[in-house]
């Protein structure tokens, strides 16, 4: 029996504070754009089936109950009580929370209180730059304020995160842009930007990434729609030896490429979260493929959850079940000892994240 008593969710978002109807709840199960096919539902996915398997018992219902009955029970309990039961039933002891998405989402302190866990903040670089731009009238003031804000954020945040590779893969160029190039891009962006406008300029995104690298804090990078080896490898090579760890997020369905990069570069790590949540009953097969390639000290559990506490639950349970099935098989076959399997399980579940992010050991105060 492989046990993972402590889970560090190394990348997630807060949960919605509002009650959800059937359609809104289903929309949060889908990871693509737009509605499901006509006459179907996002409950008819691996993620949807996993929600129906693992979440109803935490609300006092039988597994696999119909979605309408489950949501009726959820409304009966109320959003606060159902969220409390779900998060506390996940077994997650530490949440690292990306606070950079819009919406009525709970922050780290609320996640800690609701889930009876520790929590720390992950700062999204793009949102930080956009907030600085809202209060900076000139290019010079923006650049000075941006550097100061990143430095200040690094003091309290556990990591930085960025979607630059998703918006503009060229932002992952293997060298920072020159001062003149940056100043020109800032001037153009500020001149044409309205308050609250999103940062999408590839030069500024590139500049932002290199400021974050210089901070020494771990930098989480969202993988784009293609193979991360094609656009991430040069950036990983350029940042090697600079003292900043890089964590590849959301690599599925290119999870093997992400695992390979973690094997090649000492400072690169791979996140497991959405790969397992998306594949549900097939999560063990996907996890086995990742474990074929990546050193065991380079893999990090996460739920990748956003909006629904159910997704934190599913992420945790699927991870535990998949890890137990894969490692348990190897132990039964004599390929691994139980002692080694248990040690590796502890690394992936929590130990690697505690090392990368400088978190205290289980039982020590982590802060909220």
């Amino acid at each position: 029996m492989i046990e993972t008593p402590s889970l560090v969710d190394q990348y997630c978002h807060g949960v919605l504070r509002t009650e959800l109807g059937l359609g809104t709840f289903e929309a949060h199960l889908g990871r693509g754009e737009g509605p499901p096919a006509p006459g179907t539902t996002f409950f008819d996915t691996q993620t949807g089936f996993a929600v129906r398997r693992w979440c109803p018992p935490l609300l006092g219902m039988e597994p696999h109950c119909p979605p309408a009955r489950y949501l009726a029970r959820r409304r009966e309990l109320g959003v606060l009580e159902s969220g409390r039961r779900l998060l506390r039933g996940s077994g997650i002891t530490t949440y690292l929370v990306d606070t950079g998405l819009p919406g009525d989402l709970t922050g780290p302190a609320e996640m800690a209180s609701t889930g009876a866990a520790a929590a720390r903040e992950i700062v999204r670089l793009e949102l930080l730059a956009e907030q600085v731009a809202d209060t900076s009238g000139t290019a010079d003031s923006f650049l000075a304020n941006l550097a100061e804000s990143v430095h200040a954020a690094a003091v309290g945040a556990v990591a930085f995160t960025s979607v630059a590779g998703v918006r503009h893969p060229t932002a992952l160029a293997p060298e920072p842009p020159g001062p003149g190039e940056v100043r020109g891009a800032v001037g153009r962006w500020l001149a044409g930007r309205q308050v609250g406008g999103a940062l999408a300029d590839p030069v500024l995104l590139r500049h932002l990434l290199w400021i974050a690298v210089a901070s020494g804090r771990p930098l989480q990078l969202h993988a784009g729609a293609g193979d991360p080896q094609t656009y991430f490898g040069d950036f990983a090579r350029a940042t090697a030896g600079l003292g900043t760890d890089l964590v590849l997020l959301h690599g599925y369905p290119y999870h093997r490429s992400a695992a390979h990069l973690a094997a090649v570069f000492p400072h690169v790590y791979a996140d497991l979260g959405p790969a397992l949540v998306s594949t549900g009953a097939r999560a063990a097969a996907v996890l086995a493929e990742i474990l074929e390639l990546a050193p065991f000290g380079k893999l990090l559990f996460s739920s990748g959850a956003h909006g629904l506490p159910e997704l934190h639950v599913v992420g945790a349970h699927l991870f535990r079940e998949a890890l137990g099935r894969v490692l348990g098989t190897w132990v039964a076959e004599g390929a691994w000892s139980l002692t080694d399997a248990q040690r590796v399980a502890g690394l992936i579940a929590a130990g690697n994240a505690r090392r990368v992010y400088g978190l205290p050991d289980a039982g020590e105060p982590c802060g909220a």
Side-chain angles (χ1 to χ4, degrees):
M1 179 69 177
I2 309 299
E3 297 181 359
T4 52
S6 176
L7 290 181
V8 173
D9 191 345
Q10 72 99 32
Y11 183 81
C12 67
H13 301 278
V15 300
L16 290 163
R17 298 186 179 96
T18 52
E19 297 283 0
L20 301 178
L22 180 61
T24 308
F25 187 96
E26 288 182 5
H28 279 85
L29 292 178
R31 291 189 171 269
E33 296 183 5
T40 69
T41 168
F42 282 129
F43 269 106
D44 287 334
T45 59
Q46 289 283 6
T47 302
F49 273 37
V51 166
R52 292 176 54 213
R53 164 62 184 91
W54 297 110
C55 297
L58 297 177
L59 302 188
M61 306 184 73
E62 73 279 6
H64 308 296
C65 70
R69 282 186 54 210
Y70 174 75
L71 292 179
R73 173 60 173 165
R74 202 179 189 272
R75 289 191 296 271
E76 177 187 343
L77 290 170
V79 65
L80 294 178
E81 177 61 16
S82 59
R84 187 188 69 84
R85 294 190 185 192
L86 290 163
L87 291 182
R88 296 188 181 193
S90 70
I92 295 170
T93 58
T94 302
Y95 295 95
L96 306 188
V97 185
D98 176 0
T99 56
L101 287 186
D104 189 21
L105 300 173
T106 55
E110 289 174 272
M111 291 291 289
S113 175
T114 304
R120 296 287 299 276
E121 182 181 14
I122 300 167
V123 171
R124 184 167 291 216
L125 289 168
E126 288 84 356
L127 178 61
L128 183 64
E130 290 154 12
Q131 292 171 338
V132 170
D134 288 340
T135 58
S136 301
T138 67
D140 286 338
S141 65
F142 171 80
L143 290 171
N145 292 340
L146 180 63
E148 181 179 343
S149 295
V150 171
H151 177 76
V155 174
V158 74
F160 290 111
T161 191
S162 173
V163 294
V166 177
R167 292 181 177 175
H168 284 287
T170 56
L172 294 169
E175 68 282 325
E181 190 178 6
V182 172
R183 191 177 302 277
V186 172
R188 291 190 298 272
W189 184 50
L190 292 180
R193 178 181 182 270
Q194 306 211 345
V195 172
L199 172 59
D201 184 279
V203 173
L204 295 188
L205 290 170
R206 189 168 143 211
H207 175 65
L208 193 56
L209 289 180
W210 282 96
I211 294 178
V213 167
S215 77
R217 283 292 186 192
L219 175 58
Q220 301 175 336
L221 295 169
H222 292 247
D227 187 336
Q229 290 194 79
T230 63
Y231 61 87
F232 184 76
D234 288 342
F235 185 78
R237 189 171 293 107
T239 54
L242 299 182
T244 295
D245 289 326
L246 307 178
V247 183
L248 267 181
L249 302 176
H250 306 347
Y252 186 79
Y254 300 97
H255 51 287
R256 291 177 64 86
S257 292
H260 173 70
L261 288 168
V264 170
F265 297 103
H267 65 308
V268 174
Y269 293 77
D271 168 65
L272 298 178
L276 307 186
V277 173
S278 298
T279 51
R282 289 283 295 168
V286 173
L287 179 61
E289 291 182 342
I290 296 172
L291 289 171
E292 290 175 9
L293 291 164
F296 310 131
K298 306 296 290 297
L299 299 173
L300 305 169
F301 160 75
S302 82
S303 67
H306 167 223
L308 302 179
E310 282 84 356
L311 297 179
H312 295 85
V313 172
V314 164
H317 280 285
L318 286 175
F319 168 73
R320 282 196 173 100
E321 185 182 64
L323 194 66
R325 187 181 303 177
V326 172
L327 300 190
T329 297
W330 294 344
V331 169
E333 293 172 347
W336 285 35
S337 71
L338 179 59
T339 300
D340 281 339
Q342 192 63 62
R343 181 174 57 83
V344 169
L347 287 175
I348 300 173
N352 293 336
R354 295 190 187 282
R355 184 182 71 254
V356 171
Y357 298 109
L359 303 175
D361 292 333
E364 298 180 29
C366 182

